[in-house]
Amino acid sequence: MSEEPTVVQGRAGAAGTLLLNRPRALNALDQGMIAALDAAIVALRDDPAVKLVILEGAGGRAFCAGGDVRRIRDLALAGDAAGVEAFFAGEYAVNAAIAGFPKPWISLIDGVCMGGGIGLSVHGDIRVVTEHAMLAMPETAIALFPDVGTSYVLPRLPGAMGRFLALTGARLRGAEAVEAGLATHFVPRERLPALRQALLAGETSALADFAEAVPPGAIAAQRPAIDRCFAADTLPAIQAALAAEGTQWAQAQAAILARMSPTSLAVTLELLRRGAELSLGDCLAMELALTRHVTRHPDFAEGVRAVLVDKDNQPRWAPPPADVGAFFAG
């Protein structure tokens, strides 16, 4: 009995359809999926009958939980630099291809969408979330950094929102993702099948009939404090601002930052500072170069161990570097 493909490509009406199909792994991306997506993007781009693309995740629990970082850790520990490079280079090429896709790229996000899942959706035209969606960039918890082109996206969110999301790995639930700027539309789960059928006719205008207005919620309420506390350029200044804020929310954010890799936090701040001035292509090239240094740093293997392998959530971080600029060299 042959296994099901991990990316299911189809045609329905005027739409090309893509289904991420590793539900047991929450549709996390492995190299086979990345290669399949790369090939599908070319085929859908060149098919004149395809007017738009609909991307979804199988299983009802996740759109895409990210990249297969446990595999990357194994490659890094084995000293397989070429294997690590191949994974990230392939993934980032897919991100760039989605950004340059000439037809509407529509992601229907109903469940977990983190890391690599953000990369598959945020560079497209339309990102629909349901009340069951959960979006996050949690890389600082495993001593990586916000990648998949988010060094371009996050600095361009309003105020200090991008810096807050990048450093804390904050989880945006449902309509909060629209408030923050990572999603474009909110559609309740019960209306998603009908929306999908309407989109198969090739008209993105159908979204207006299904999407609900997002009233100011938790993110809007936190925006002033986020901007006050996360606008600073250094981690000590952010920590000082949180201490001065003195609220329960600020104390919670300070506690979150205290659990993250100090090296990853420093790298992330510098990454977003540089990304604010670069094109998406240059950001992806910067991220790829950065992976070569970060995946060799002891914090990466330790962070993945603590969060995803042993799951003891007790990482032993190395001291932060005196000069974070060395991570960006070459």
Side-chain angles (χ1 to χ4, degrees):
M1 182 176 177
S2 62
E3 293 186 3
E4 290 187 20
T6 54
V7 175
V8 180
Q9 179 182 344
R11 272 282 312 282
T17 60
L18 291 171
L19 181 70
L20 305 174
N21 192 35
R22 286 183 75 209
R24 285 188 174 184
L26 299 181
N27 302 318
L29 295 172
D30 61 17
Q31 281 190 282
M33 293 176 76
I34 290 167
L37 285 167
D38 186 56
I41 289 169
V42 173
L44 294 169
R45 182 194 67 204
D46 295 342
D47 187 342
V50 171
K51 304 304 180 187
L52 56 85
V53 171
I54 300 172
L55 176 65
E56 299 173 276
R61 296 170 58 205
F63 174 77
C64 172
D68 189 355
V69 290
R70 279 193 280 193
R71 173 62 178 159
I72 298 167
R73 176 182 185 263
D74 290 342
L75 293 170
L77 288 174
D80 187 355
V84 173
E85 180 93 1
F87 182 94
F88 285 116
E91 185 179 21
Y92 298 172
V94 166
N95 302 145
I98 292 170
F101 199 73
K103 308 167 189 181
W105 183 277
I106 304 170
S107 298
L108 303 182
I109 303 171
D110 184 38
V112 175
C113 177
M114 298 192 294
I118 300 286
L120 296 182
S121 55
V122 76
H123 302 299
D125 307 272
I126 296 167
R127 288 93 66 191
V128 176
V129 292
T130 74
E131 70 275 21
H132 297 280
M134 189 282 286
L135 279 66
M137 291 299 293
E139 286 75 15
T140 53
I142 56 170
L144 201 53
F145 57 88
D147 64 337
V148 294
T150 61
S151 62
Y152 177 83
V153 173
L154 292 172
R156 288 164 176 80
L157 295 181
M161 181 61 63
R163 194 170 287 175
F164 163 67
L165 296 175
L167 294 176
T168 67
R171 299 186 171 201
L172 303 172
R173 300 187 181 276
E176 291 176 350
V178 179
E179 282 189 90
L182 288 183
T184 59
H185 298 79
F186 174 77
V187 176
R189 175 184 274 182
E190 65 181 17
R191 306 193 76 189
L192 213 54
L195 168 62
R196 190 179 188 280
Q197 286 302 118
L199 289 171
L200 296 182
E203 295 295 331
T204 57
S205 58
L207 276 159
D209 299 325
F210 294 89
E212 294 186 0
V214 175
I219 296 300
Q222 291 166 355
R223 271 290 306 280
I226 288 170
D227 289 347
R228 282 194 299 270
C229 296
F230 287 86
D233 289 328
T234 68
L235 187 59
I238 290 171
Q239 291 167 323
L242 288 168
E245 192 77 9
T247 61
Q248 188 174 7
W249 174 86
Q251 291 169 1
Q253 307 319 303
I256 289 169
L257 293 180
R259 295 197 298 268
M260 302 304 186
S261 159
T263 297
S264 182
L265 293 174
V267 166
T268 295
L269 274 172
E270 179 64 13
L271 177 71
L272 298 192
R273 186 189 70 77
R274 296 184 183 213
E277 306 296 328
L278 299 175
S279 67
L280 174 60
D282 287 341
C283 281
L284 287 166
M286 174 175 61
E287 292 172 9
L288 184 59
L290 192 53
T291 63
R292 298 169 192 144
H293 297 282
V294 170
T295 57
R296 294 171 189 159
H297 189 278
D299 273 10
F300 172 66
E302 174 63 6
V304 177
R305 180 206 64 77
V307 175
L308 297 173
V309 179
D310 298 337
K311 300 181 181 179
D312 60 14
N313 291 305
Q314 296 291 326
R316 299 176 187 84
W317 302 127
D323 178 17
V324 74
F327 282 82
F328 293 84

